[in-house]
Amino acid sequence: MRHYKTIFFTCITLVAVFVCLLVGIRCSKAFSPERKMDGIEEVGQSFEEFKIPVDARAVGIGEATHGNREFQTVKRDVLEKVVTEGDGRCICFEMSVGDAAMLNDALHDKDADLSEAVGKQSYPIYDTAEIAGLLEWMREYNENLSYEESLMFYGVDIQGGYTCIRYLQDAANAGNDLITEEEKSFILPLDIYDKAMYSKERENFVAMSERLLTMDDLRAKQLGMVAKAVVLNIDVPDYEQFPEENDHNRDLKMAENLLAYSKIEEERGYSQVVITAHSGHSRTGGKSVLPCENDETMGDQIDRLFEGSYFCIGTDFYEGYVNIHTAGTFEENYERQDHFYISEDPLAYQAKFFENGIYCLDFSRVTDENSSVYKNVHSMIFCGAAGEGYGAIQDLYKQERSKFVPADRFDAMIFYYEVTPIDPIHS
């Protein structure tokens, strides 16, 4: 009996020592991301100091989430830097081509209510004061410029074909003389939500887009991109039957649309375009949202189409609330909620030691292979990656973050210690 008591108390003692060691390690943060990295201030920069290569034809902004204000305001910051320090005059969104065309018209109309305009597009994540503010800044910049010299707002997404039909119908009804009477005859009768109906007009939309895109007129080419987007939407692989092909096709066509806008911009004398999308699309060297045989992101496709002249800036946060659409809620039951997340990104934690809790890290500046900064930049670490469509199962699997090597996915990153949720205006 005494022998068993000795074994029992020995086990209790060992367990107690083990627990104490765990607590001690936790309190010391020996394996925690919550430690300051030596030399971080030498390589980290403020946004004002941060430089975007002027020879990059495409400049990407990868959002760690769609649901945070900081990742929306940085769009304007990057665009302004490209406009003032580089050679770009447009920003392209992960947004329906038709929605973006409507917003581009609004920012070029001094009487348009921009807050009302963002509420009319079909992406609630962009129905915010931050996006309205971006458009307002673009309008103010354009005030004394001709249309051909002004800042442009474009969309590259092929989802939401109905928004393109609606835009073309509104343009036709407004008397847009770029649309022929023959084109009006098949556009105006369409039910914008009946894809089977407008799919029957595919060849007419092909002819319309080709006619407009070959015209020597900026507005015609922009309208041609809307007609082309209808065709691309008609041609998408069925998501229910071919989800992998659908996903790959979307990333590929968004990249091809960006290239098409780049050519339009080059024709009016500007060599750079800015593209913003969720980091799952914009980053390179990674995986698409769904794996498939041709497993490349939009960023991979952009890098290929732009012959390696793609500079992608990632974003991340350490902690904060993220505003996300509740999966399965639509129409009158549509719901968005704020969810608190901690990414555990050790590089994002370093933002705590910078002014306003934000800093930029250009990976080309991190050259000391023995430094902890270099090791983290070139190692698999957790980074924030929250998407739309919240379900409780996501918390169990911590799907608000992913693990990858930052230097393999981005050229630079902007880190925030704490982020705040968006607040859609009309939701």
Side-chain angles (χ1 to χ4, degrees):
M1 179 67 72
R2 188 175 297 170
H3 178 68
Y4 290 118
K5 284 184 177 180
T6 301
I7 293 175
F8 175 75
F9 284 114
T10 300
C11 290
I12 291 295
T13 301
L14 289 173
V15 169
V17 170
F18 180 69
V19 170
C20 288
L21 285 172
L22 286 179
V23 171
I25 289 172
R26 177 61 181 166
C27 291
S28 70
K29 300 187 183 296
F31 298 102
S32 169
E34 298 181 357
R35 292 184 299 157
K36 186 175 183 179
M37 294 181 187
D38 291 337
I40 187 64
E41 277 120 341
E42 283 72 39
V43 290
Q45 298 175 293
S46 67
F47 188 78
E48 289 70 26
E49 297 170 316
F50 177 59
K51 299 296 181 185
I52 296 172
V54 294
D55 59 348
R57 291 172 55 206
V59 178
I61 309 168
E63 299 173 295
T65 78
H66 281 315
N68 288 100
R69 291 175 173 173
E70 290 76 8
F71 304 143
Q72 294 200 344
T73 56
V74 78
K75 301 176 193 302
R76 169 182 163 175
D77 296 336
V78 171
L79 176 61
E80 187 170 0
K81 187 174 281 286
V82 169
V83 169
T84 57
E85 300 177 11
D87 189 40
R89 295 296 185 276
C90 76
I91 187 166
C92 304
F93 268 57
E94 179 193 342
M95 177 188 286
S96 162
V97 174
D99 276 339
M102 179 267 293
L103 292 179
N104 190 58
D105 286 350
L107 78 89
H108 285 91
D109 178 358
K110 63 181 178 61
D111 296 321
D113 184 327
L114 295 177
S115 293
E116 182 180 327
V118 296
K120 290 180 178 178
Q121 48 85 44
S122 60
Y123 285 62
I125 56 174
Y126 298 134
D127 178 21
T128 65
E130 289 73 32
I131 299 304
L134 165 66
L135 296 171
E136 186 64 46
W137 175 79
M138 295 175 74
R139 175 193 277 172
E140 290 174 1
Y141 183 92
N142 291 344
E143 188 173 2
N144 297 313
L145 299 175
S146 67
Y147 186 78
E148 288 71 21
E149 299 173 302
S150 66
L151 300 184
M152 299 294 176
F153 188 100
Y154 298 133
V156 298
D157 208 339
I158 62 173
Q159 293 184 333
Y162 69 92
T163 68
C164 297
I165 302 292
R166 179 175 60 195
Y167 181 82
L168 292 173
Q169 288 181 339
D170 288 346
N173 284 322
N176 189 317
D177 58 9
L178 289 170
I179 303 176
T180 68
E181 291 301 318
E182 182 180 356
E183 290 164 348
K184 290 178 184 178
S185 69
F186 71 80
I187 291 173
L188 291 176
L190 295 176
D191 178 344
I192 66 172
Y193 299 110
D194 188 345
K195 185 173 180 178
M197 184 179 186
Y198 65 75
S199 292
K200 294 178 181 178
E201 303 296 340
R202 181 187 184 281
E203 295 311 310
N204 283 327
F205 281 112
V206 170
M208 180 180 182
S209 65
E210 290 178 348
R211 179 184 69 81
L212 290 166
L213 287 169
T214 54
M215 290 179 64
D216 186 21
D217 181 277
L218 176 58
R219 292 181 188 269
K221 292 181 186 297
Q222 291 171 337
L223 192 63
M225 288 297 295
V226 180
K228 177 184 174 182
V230 176
V231 179
L232 295 177
N233 181 260
I234 291 170
D235 291 346
V236 296
D238 182 81
Y239 184 80
E240 298 298 326
Q241 296 184 38
F242 310 105
E244 296 88 358
E245 289 83 349
N246 178 286
D247 180 67
H248 172 71
N249 178 74
R250 183 183 174 205
D251 273 21
L252 173 62
K253 297 308 176 183
M254 286 197 293
E256 290 179 345
N257 279 342
L258 180 67
L259 181 63
Y261 281 121
S262 176
K263 291 179 178 178
I264 291 173
E265 290 299 296
E266 287 173 357
E267 287 181 8
R268 67 184 187 115
Y270 304 115
S271 62
Q272 291 181 300
V273 290
V274 176
I275 174 70
T276 175
H278 192 278
S279 59
H281 293 295
S282 60
R283 67 192 184 196
T284 60
K287 298 292 183 182
S288 301
V289 179
L290 295 172
C292 62
E293 184 179 350
N294 297 311
D295 200 5
E296 293 182 314
T297 64
M298 179 188 74
D300 290 318
Q301 301 288 0
I302 292 172
D303 198 48
R304 175 179 60 81
L305 292 171
F306 284 77
E307 300 176 324
S309 188
Y310 177 46
F311 186 82
C312 191
I313 307 164
T315 58
D316 203 8
F317 66 99
Y318 189 73
E319 66 179 28
Y321 284 92
V322 183
N323 183 267
I324 305 176
H325 169 224
T326 302
T329 63
F330 302 100
E331 308 275 333
E332 65 276 2
N333 296 319
Y334 185 86
E335 178 185 81
R336 301 189 68 87
Q337 289 187 339
D338 297 342
H339 303 273
F340 184 79
Y341 293 129
I342 297 178
S343 72
E344 295 191 272
D345 179 348
L347 293 168
Y349 184 79
Q350 304 310 302
K352 185 175 184 178
F353 308 109
F354 287 83
E355 186 177 0
N356 299 320
I358 175 178
Y359 78 105
C360 303
L361 192 60
D362 182 338
F363 296 155
S364 68
R365 288 169 46 85
V366 185
T367 57
D368 182 358
E369 296 183 11
N370 295 316
S371 70
S372 56
V373 181
Y374 184 95
K375 290 174 182 176
N376 277 277
V377 165
H378 293 273
S379 299
M380 293 281 286
I381 62 173
F382 281 112
C383 297
E388 283 285 277
Y390 170 81
I393 191 69
Q394 295 176 356
D395 290 338
L396 179 63
Y397 292 101
K398 286 196 170 292
Q399 292 180 339
E400 75 278 4
R401 62 182 189 174
S402 62
K403 202 170 189 179
F404 56 82
V405 179
D408 289 348
R409 304 297 178 90
F410 303 108
D411 297 292
M413 291 186 73
I414 302 173
F415 295 104
Y416 302 80
Y417 179 73
E418 185 176 16
V419 289
T420 51
I422 60 171
D423 184 16
I425 299 170
H426 300 93
S427 295

